[in-house]
Every structure is written in structure tokens, then in C-alpha cells.
Amino acid sequence: MKFVQAPIAVENAASFAGLSSMINAALSPGSIEKFFKEMAAKGVRIRDFETVLQKGLLQSARTSTGNALALYETLSLPDRGQIREHYLTLIEDVDVKVRDKFKQLYRYA
């Protein structure tokens, strides 16, 4: 039986949706390699979500001018946990060929 997380209500829906949209855009098939190349160039580990935000990698992978870190900072702690979990789930679901190409980003140490 697969683990299913209990749904938790989002408190700041607008900021959550904006940040979720940025994550989805960065990890979309047309943008993911550019996003991963920028991560590699800046020496950011893929699972270090807060550093991804601080380095501005999400907005550079997207055409809009939103500030991912500013959106994140408006979220409550439970919302931050949910958006982080959303990001981590998506990076684990990346196509195997892309993961192999960027295996250095996926290393834990």
C-alpha cells in the first residue's frame, strides 16, 4: 500500500499557487534541463530547496518576474512544508534519462 499524505488546508492560497506554478514551470519537460544546468553552474544541490529559492533559480527558469523567495516567505510553516514536499516529489519523478544526465545534482553528499 502506497503512502498517502493527509490533506492539509493551505492558508495562503495565492502565494502557494504562484510558487507551485513556478516549480511546475521549472520542472516541466521544456525547462528542466535549463533549470538543472543553472543549478549545476551555481553549485546547488537539487534537494536544497531553500538555496534554490535564495539563488533565484525558480524565477530564472520561468518567463514571469515573480520572486519565489518573497512568495515563500509569505507562507506559514505548514504551507512551506507542503510546497517543499511538492518540489521534492517532482524532482524525484523526473525522467530517468534526465536524472542520469544530472546525477551529480542528485547525490546526497
Side-chain angles (χ1 to χ4, degrees), residues 28-45:
S28 69
S31 302
I32 195 164
E33 289 201 25
K34 178 185 175 202
F35 178 60
F36 282 2
K37 285 177 184 176
E38 289 179 19
M39 289 181 83
K42 293 190 178 189
V44 177
R45 296 267 185 225

Side-chain angles (χ1 to χ4, degrees), residues 1 11 13 18 37 44 52 59 63 87 97:
M1 181 177 195
E11 295 174 23
K37 285 177 184 176
V44 177
V52 169
Q59 55 264 28
T63 57
Y87 171 79
K97 290 179 183 177

